Amino acid sequence: MNIGDFWRPGVVAATVLLVGPMLAAGFCPESVGRLGQCLPRTVRVVGPVLLCLPYALTATAFGIFRWGWLAVYALLPMGIALLLEQERDEDGEQHGNWRDFVVLLALGLAVDLRWLEPAWPRGLAALGKILLLDAGIFGFLVVRRLEGVGFDLRLTLRDLRRGLGEYFLYALIAVPLGLWLGFLHVHAILPSSLRAVGAFVFTFLFIAIPEELFFRGWVQNLLERRMGRTRALLLAAAVFGLAHWNKQTLSFNWRYVVMAAIAGVSYGRAWRAQRRVGASAITHASVDATWSLWLR
């Protein structure tokens, strides 16, 4: 794909429609809570059908539009909203129930197994992942009104201290272990500062925030209500590790799973210290940027 393809009007419009809600929810969390209270039930359930529009715009721009995929991206977000609307009515104390975990399983498998990627032009499958994230944000934060998620991207010094603290603690374990396993390889040439900053910002926005919101704000948060803090931390980290089983290989990449699971403990600790996704996203982005620039 040429770089000019990313600037097609349909792609630009779709990107704004997808990234805008994610950032709005992260920088205006109080407004998200009020939105859930003021929207009528019908709008809360049917409204997510509009998430099919970014798919329609992108697919049309590349001439690959299919009605079947449009139906998937219209019905899936609406189904998520319906399940979580029912869950809100039946689980007012927010202990977490089967509907929560069905939604998480559907979102997680769709991304990890790349079920929906054929709908998107080559190189733009990330838009599909953000679409699913938006469906989850609307479902859990607006419809379900799940508490304790900590999706607040107005970063503080405490976020920075906690995030970087967990990053350095993880590095003390991961670097020698990764080198011993043959997973890490030290680069002889250091990248420029501009490239390093760019890698961190990109990773923070498009990898760390979505994954930390999912695995810590939703998965670990809900597991804590069922099994307590420590077991929830370890189980969420294990699930996070297993989600990387097929990365960079066609077979089971056990080294990646081990390294990611250990990282998941550090990310989970950063999140639960203040229950803030921003803190764990700092740890996550720092780890990924360091790995991609110096140790891959």
Side-chain angles (χ1 to χ4, degrees):
M1 178 179 291
N2 297 323
I3 190 66
D5 291 332
F6 291 98
W7 296 103
R8 296 188 187 191
V11 176
V12 173
T15 302
V16 171
L17 289 174
L18 289 172
V19 176
M22 179 186 78
L23 295 180
F27 286 100
C28 306
E30 297 85 1
S31 299
V32 172
R34 289 195 295 268
L35 185 63
Q37 294 174 345
C38 69
L39 287 179
R41 179 187 181 97
T42 302
V43 176
R44 292 198 300 266
V45 173
V46 179
V49 73
L50 295 175
L51 283 171
C52 71
L53 290 178
Y55 161 74
L57 289 168
T58 304
T60 301
F62 284 84
I64 60 170
F65 177 85
R66 298 292 183 271
W67 286 105
W69 285 119
L70 183 74
V72 168
Y73 282 115
L75 296 176
L76 181 58
M78 196 161 57
I80 290 171
L82 178 61
L83 281 174
L84 294 179
E85 180 72 28
Q86 294 171 343
E87 187 72 353
R88 185 178 67 85
D89 293 338
E90 296 186 15
D91 184 28
E93 295 184 357
Q94 299 196 349
H95 294 302
N97 216 320
W98 67 269
R99 292 183 183 86
D100 293 313
F101 295 104
V102 165
V103 169
L104 291 173
L105 186 64
L107 290 173
L109 290 179
V111 171
D112 195 55
L113 299 181
R114 305 182 179 95
W115 286 341
L116 307 181
E117 285 191 8
W120 299 85
R122 185 177 180 181
L124 292 175
L127 294 181
K129 296 177 183 179
I130 299 175
L131 192 156
L132 294 177
L133 181 72
D134 285 346
I137 288 173
F138 190 86
F140 281 108
L141 300 186
V142 177
V143 177
R144 180 78 161 96
R145 299 177 218 167
L146 184 64
E147 297 177 354
V149 173
F151 189 46
D152 186 345
L153 300 181
R154 297 168 297 183
L155 301 179
T156 66
L157 286 177
R158 292 183 66 185
D159 292 332
L160 187 63
R161 286 196 298 268
R162 188 71 196 196
L164 291 179
E166 291 295 338
Y167 162 71
F168 287 116
L169 285 175
Y170 172 69
L172 290 175
I173 299 171
V175 172
L177 177 61
L179 292 172
W180 179 65
L181 291 176
F183 181 79
L184 300 180
H185 307 86
V186 179
H187 292 194
I189 300 176
L190 296 179
S192 67
S193 57
L194 181 61
R195 184 185 172 197
V197 171
F200 178 86
V201 172
F202 177 86
T203 304
F204 182 82
L205 290 175
F206 296 106
I207 297 176
I209 288 176
E211 292 189 3
E212 289 310 300
L213 177 58
F214 182 87
F215 285 102
R216 257 52 70 176
W218 298 339
V219 174
Q220 186 173 333
N221 184 10
L222 285 165
L223 287 175
E224 280 189 357
R225 301 157 195 258
R226 309 293 297 184
M227 59 178 60
R229 281 165 53 93
T230 301
R231 285 188 290 178
L233 170 67
L234 296 177
L235 182 54
V239 172
F240 179 73
L242 288 171
H244 294 76
W245 70 274
N246 59 349
K247 300 298 187 292
Q248 297 187 325
T249 181
L250 297 177
S251 58
F252 188 85
N253 192 342
W254 66 270
R255 292 178 179 83
Y256 207 147
V257 169
V258 170
M259 298 297 293
I262 297 172
V265 173
S266 294
Y267 304 161
R269 282 168 46 88
W271 171 79
R272 77 176 186 180
Q274 303 173 70
R275 304 188 80 83
R276 287 180 60 84
V277 170
S280 59
I282 288 173
T283 310
H284 193 149
S286 300
V287 168
D288 279 13
T290 301
W291 174 53
S292 64
L293 292 172
W294 289 293
L295 294 169
R296 176 175 289 186

